[in-house]
Amino acid sequence: DADVTQTPRNRITKTGKRIMLECSQTKGHDRMYWYRQDPGLGLRLIYYSFDVKDINKGEISDGYSVSRQAQAKFSLSLESAIPNQTALYFCATQRQGNEQFFGPGTRLTVL
Amino acid sequence: QKEVEQDPGPLSVPEGAIVSLNCTYSNSAFQYFMWYRQYSRKGPELLMYTYSSGNKEDGRFTAQVDKSSKYISLFIRDSQPSDSATYLCAMLMNYGGSQGNLIFGKGTKLSVKP
């Protein structure tokens, strides 16, 4: 079983819709991250969390919100999706002092 | 100036070639340097991890860090078609708070032709 899972893997939605991307991990790591990846722009950090009560904005948080429901779960929401939020979204986990582990990604298309 | 610069390529080489991938950075506080490999439609996975300056070798892969020049490299010897992927460099300062967040390069897309 994968250590970091993301659901859904693919999603097509319309402008203005609310959408939630979910991330779960079985690695027991405290730190969790949400990134988006766009061609030519690389990985950009949206939000990160160091524990259940800790939420921090990343480089590009506008238009996004997150919820850390438990140590193992970190959700990303788009309250009103817009076409320029079309991208590949990755969740990652990290134990302090070590590498980040990435999920398989969610391909989101906003029409 | 971005903190981490990486040529996006694409880079195309014949099988068996030696590949050199590079990143430059501007923040002298970076101490930990990583290379991630990302296959198409997959998440990045850690390939090499080095601390401070010097070389680290793992099979056909060698990671090199030159802190005086703020330059890191990944060498792939005897490249194989299975090495075709995007390679991202990443670095961080230390593991305290937000300084433990990775800063990524944009990635270099490598294609190894049979």
Side-chain angles (χ1 to χ4, degrees):
Chain A
D1 287 342
D3 296 317
V4 183
T5 57
Q6 292 184 233
T7 55
R9 294 293 314 279
N10 289 282
R11 180 71 183 265
I12 300 173
T13 191
K14 294 182 179 180
T15 298
K17 295 290 187 182
R18 183 179 188 277
I19 184 168
M20 179 181 288
L21 309 183
E22 300 191 356
C23 177
S24 295
Q25 54 121 342
T26 59
K27 300 188 78 67
H29 291 167
D30 291 328
R31 299 186 177 196
M32 297 187 74
Y33 299 79
W34 275 106
Y35 294 91
R36 65 177 281 176
Q37 189 175 40
D38 301 90
L41 296 178
L43 282 166
R44 292 184 291 167
L45 183 61
I46 306 172
Y47 271 96
Y48 60 101
S49 168
F50 289 164
D51 64 42
V52 174
K53 297 180 181 179
D54 178 77
I55 299 292
N56 303 281
K57 292 183 178 181
E59 179 186 354
I60 53 162
S61 59
D62 286 349
Y64 301 94
S65 62
V66 292
S67 173
R68 184 84 183 266
Q69 304 94 322
Q71 188 203 36
K73 296 185 182 295
F74 193 36
S75 301
L76 176 72
S77 293
L78 288 68
E79 296 300 326
S80 180
I82 56 177
N84 77 359
Q85 291 177 313
T86 293
L88 190 54
Y89 289 84
F90 287 104
C91 172
T93 72
Q94 182 183 25
R95 185 176 71 236
Q96 189 171 8
N98 285 278
E99 68 184 277
Q100 287 189 8
F101 293 85
F102 285 81
T106 294
R107 185 168 297 276
L108 176 66
T109 302
V110 183
L111 301 177
Chain B
Q1 182 189 9
K2 298 285 273 185
E3 279 196 290
V4 179
E5 299 278 3
Q6 183 176 11
D7 186 337
L11 181 62
S12 182
V13 301
E15 184 175 353
I18 296 175
V19 177
S20 173
L21 304 169
N22 311 292
C23 288
T24 59
Y25 62 95
S26 57
N27 191 337
S28 58
F30 287 132
Q31 297 187 72
Y32 301 87
F33 304 91
M34 304 173 197
W35 285 95
Y36 280 79
R37 178 174 60 194
Q38 184 179 17
Y39 290 116
S40 182
R41 300 184 181 279
K42 303 284 188 182
E45 56 181 356
L46 185 70
L47 188 61
M48 298 285 283
Y49 186 162
T50 55
Y51 170 69
S52 195
S53 285
N55 292 359
K56 184 174 183 179
E57 190 172 319
D58 184 1
R60 296 184 294 110
F61 298 89
T62 300
Q64 197 171 76
V65 175
D66 181 349
K67 292 190 73 179
S68 63
S69 300
K70 298 190 182 68
Y71 189 87
I72 69 171
S73 300
L74 177 70
F75 298 97
I76 307 174
R77 291 185 300 280
D78 187 26
S79 57
Q80 303 295 310
S82 59
D83 295 326
S84 297
T86 296
Y87 291 80
L88 300 100
C89 62
M91 46 199 79
L92 59 89
M93 286 175 272
N94 59 54
Y95 293 104
S98 63
Q99 293 184 334
N101 293 344
L102 288 175
I103 308 299
F104 285 90
K106 292 182 180 180
T108 299
K109 187 171 184 179
L110 171 68
S111 177
V112 181
K113 303 294 186 185

